[in-house]
Amino acid sequence: MAIDQLVKKVDGLSLAAVTDKYPTCHPEINPLDLYRAHLANVLTEITGVDHAIIYPNISWTASLDKGDLVIAVPALRVKGKKPDELAKEWAEKFPENDPLFDKPLVSTYFLTFYVNKAPLVESVIPMVRQQGPEFGRNKFSGLRDPKDPSQGKKRIIVEFSSPNIAKPFHAGHLRSTIIGGFLANLYEGAGWDVTRINYLGDWGKQYGLLALAFEKYGDEEALKADPINHLFQLYVRINADMTAEKEVIEKQKLAGEDVTELEANSLDEQARRYFKKMTEQDAAAVAQWKRFRDLSITRYKATYARLNIHFDDYSGESQVSEDAMNQIGKEMADKKIATEDKGAMIVNFADFVPGKEGKRLERPIVRKRDGTALYLTRDISELLNRHEKYKFDKMIYVVASQQDLHLKQLFKIIELLGHKDIADKCQHVNFGMVLGMSTRKGTVKFLDDILRDVADKMHETMKKNDDKYAQVEEPEKVADTLGISSVMVQDMSGKRINNYNFNMEAMTSFEGDTGPYLQYAHARVSSIRRKTDLSEEDLASADLSLLTEPHAVNIVRLLAQYPDTVQNTLKTLEPTTVLAYLFKMTHALSSSYDQLKVVGSERELMIARMALYDAAKTVLGNGMRLLGLSPVDRL
Ligand code: ARG
């Protein structure tokens, strides 16, 4: 039954009237919203508590055996009686034959509600079918004014990945890329206008040094073929030269020799001069640097594409204007936020922030003695500039927890500058470390190396099953996808802040809650359809009342939870919230196959079950794509 008919039937309301009554309630995209609205309506009658208080206090449960919805009676703040007694009293008064719920269960002061199966089954499956890839998205939550869509969407900037050109793409960048890509998808699905920014480490004396290295050792062909590796090799080589040179200078100094000339011509000094030329917009120096940058970006883009990630803007430290930084520097000095300390400008947070917190923020330098700006200074300017340019409602920085202090300092300085409103829109989404990230070919340097190694490993595993392997059309491509899934699922399994071990064996296994297992579950549910000759029309006309077995009903109850899971993820900002849901679904599916045979069942039953599995496939796929995975149909 279509959800609008169901709403009409149970509460005599139109969809619009329901949303008018409960502003965040949208039964047309979230089946449980209808259940909550109805429950709030019924309970208002019984309890006398205002429906607007009841509705937000209806929670979901941790697992299906704990019911579908639950209310903690004390949350409704009814005075005069003990919550336990109220719970009992209200449960008794709950109507015997409510169209959507069984009579609630009471344990201490909790009221637990189980949905009445048939209406759920008959409304959820058609909704998933009808919405397909849209199911789980919620275009309302990103609206500036939910009552007036013409006010447009809220705008969010997600800054993530942000590697440093010519330096290794380390685990911190990997995690930022995975988590940031996911968050961008999440907000997009929630109806926000999302801008993805990659803030490259692409400026500083080291890029002067890199240009010198290219003059000395560069190879045009190698640069074009694999800029990221070539630039890295040059960087390693010139750094070795520089270390050797420093040793020579030290030795001569110790021997009492005059090193003035050596120092004046040292690589370090040359690099400094070269970088100075870059900052002064010397055409040749800027052109060379830009070429390195552009070639690197082209390569990064190809790698990001393998992860289904793109950026709207490749910004970077180089893009922050010296003028803007000078201006901010002056403003900080005028407002006495930055003060002089041995020729440098520092922010002594203890002067502004009382107690321990002020000490914890330390005394960062914002301008060195020689006038150069620092990482923090650039971030200050860049943040204000982005606000100017994008007028964002929210900005997320996806950066390792090693930089917690840096981002706290940044946001606090923005606040001290008089922009508390802007600081409040910014959020640091942090994460822990990856331990032992090395591949069989040595320590990981670049994202491509990791992905290649994991794909090789998956390919080996796939070859072990000859029969199946022969059926896979593009085994290398599938191995690549499975490899990427392995890395991503391992990364997203725990809470972001936890460290984890990079474990190639564990992540590529088909056993346990891994990427390959998730892909396998999706491929298996996809394969059922191939074994039947059912058309879309058959599925659309399925008699869903035939789905009465507990296994079937439980899958539907999980399907109904998907939109809530996504909404909850907007609060936790944890990929594991979605992932844990998906594994619950795969477990429910795998235990159902023996009970709910499709092929071999009588035709009407076959159609009904196929409609169920088809809906499950849609939701699994939607969740996987939200995480940034590419679901496979065969492996
Ligand atoms: N490139 C930096 C690094 O590798 C990360 C940049 C983080 N973003 C920022 N706005 N500071 O450590």
Side-chain angles (χ1 to χ4, degrees), residues 13 21 27 32 60 75 78 89 107 135 188 219-220 257 274 293 319 380 396 401 437 453 455 530 545 591 620 630:
L13 292 173
K21 194 166 175 190
L32 289 182
W60 52 81
V78 175
E89 200 180 300
S107 73
F135 185 69
E188 217 157 55
D219 174 342
E220 204 49 49
E257 288 173 39
Y274 194 102
R293 183 180 197 269
Q319 306 300 301
I380 299 168
I396 287 179
S401 62
M437 193 166 90
D453 263 47
R530 290 197 293 272
S545 71
S591 66
L620 263 190
S630 311

Side-chain angles (χ1 to χ4, degrees), residues 35-44 58 69 71 94 101 113:
Y35 283 77
R36 276 185 286 264
H38 175 67
L39 193 56
N41 291 342
V42 174
L43 286 175
T44 304
I58 304 174
L69 294 171
I71 291 181
F94 200 87
F101 291 100
F113 298 89

Side-chain angles (χ1 to χ4, degrees), residues 290-341:
K290 188 167 181 314
R291 222 161 65 89
F292 294 160
R293 183 180 197 269
D294 290 348
L295 284 167
S296 300
I297 291 177
T298 307
R299 245 341 265 281
Y300 284 136
K301 278 186 183 163
T303 309
Y304 289 134
R306 293 171 70 182
L307 303 173
N308 303 321
I309 283 170
H310 72 275
F311 289 92
D312 301 292
D313 188 14
Y314 281 84
S315 141
E317 294 177 36
S318 67
Q319 306 300 301
V320 184
S321 94
E322 290 292 326
D323 278 355
M325 281 190 292
N326 287 335
Q327 224 173 305
I328 283 291
K330 199 173 164 303
E331 195 183 328
M332 286 197 285
D334 289 349
K335 293 187 171 161
K336 306 229 167 6
I337 297 164
T339 44
E340 208 197 299
D341 187 77

